[in-house]
Every structure is written in C-alpha cells, then in structure tokens.
C-alpha cells in the first residue's frame, strides 16, 4: 500500500481513499468471474450408441478365394442358434486342393 503525500480532506481520513480502489478491484473481479464459465446445467448429453452390425446372411465371394480364407470366415462367425442358414449366391465354387492337408476343426 502506498502512502499519499496529500493531506486528508477536511473532516475525513485517508481510509476513504484506500477503500475506493479496493471496492473497484472487488467489483471488477466479481464482474470478470461472472463472465466466465458455461451457463448450461449438468454434463453434455451422451451420444447414442452405434447401431449393431448388420447380420450376415450370405457367404461373401472373398471367402471362396482359398481354403484359409474360407476357414477364417467360418471360424469368425458368431455362434448362434437362432439365425437362418447362410446363402451361397455370391460363391461360384468352393476352393479345393489336392496337396493341402485337411483343416483340423477345434
């Protein structure tokens, strides 16, 4: 705090001079504090979950490219007991090999 070199006004004290800047500072800080922040109440809404993947209804043509591709497709299908059998409309012929060993099933 600085000391004023001017004499206090008649009938008053220097406390009035120091109270005014303190009051202005307090009002300015309240004003600035009221300007910040978001006025919304509560957290932002949660986006809806993504839709479930489409059900597989047919064997893709890429699964018939090789024995390994067909095995990979078949083993990656979800195990269900309430779905329809897969159609073979996109598969012209299934791969065959005379030299590869039979695929062991788990």
């Amino acid at each position: 705090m600085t000391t004023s070199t001017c004499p206090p006004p008649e009938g008053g004290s220097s406390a009035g001079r120091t109270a005014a800047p303190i009051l202005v500072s307090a009002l300015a800080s309240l004003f600035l504090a009221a300007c910040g922040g978001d006025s919304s109440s509560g957290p932002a809404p949660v986006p809806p979950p993504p839709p479930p993947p489409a059900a597989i209804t047919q064997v893709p043509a890429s699964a018939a490219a090789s024995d390994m591709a067909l095995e990979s497709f078949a083993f990656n299908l979800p195990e269900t007991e309430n779905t329809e059998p897969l159609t073979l409309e996109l598969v012209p012929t299934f791969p065959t090999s005379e030299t590869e060993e039979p695929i062991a099933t788990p």
Side-chain angles (χ1 to χ4, degrees):
M1 183 163 151
T2 60
T3 308
S4 175
T5 57
C6 298
E10 268 206 42
S13 68
S14 64
R17 285 189 181 176
T18 55
I22 292 173
L23 181 62
V24 170
S25 297
L27 287 175
S29 63
L30 286 174
F31 175 74
L32 291 175
C35 290
D38 192 10
S39 64
S40 68
S41 60
V46 177
I56 299 172
T57 59
Q58 56 190 2
V59 177
S62 61
S66 68
D67 289 338
M68 293 301 288
L70 185 59
E71 175 187 3
S72 176
F73 173 76
F75 284 139
N76 287 321
L77 288 173
E79 293 182 22
T80 61
E81 294 182 9
N82 58 356
T83 58
E84 294 293 320
L86 301 179
T87 63
L88 300 174
E89 295 171 356
L90 300 177
V91 180
T93 59
F94 280 101
T96 59
S97 173
E98 297 294 327
T99 59
E100 290 184 22
E101 291 292 322
I103 298 171
T105 56

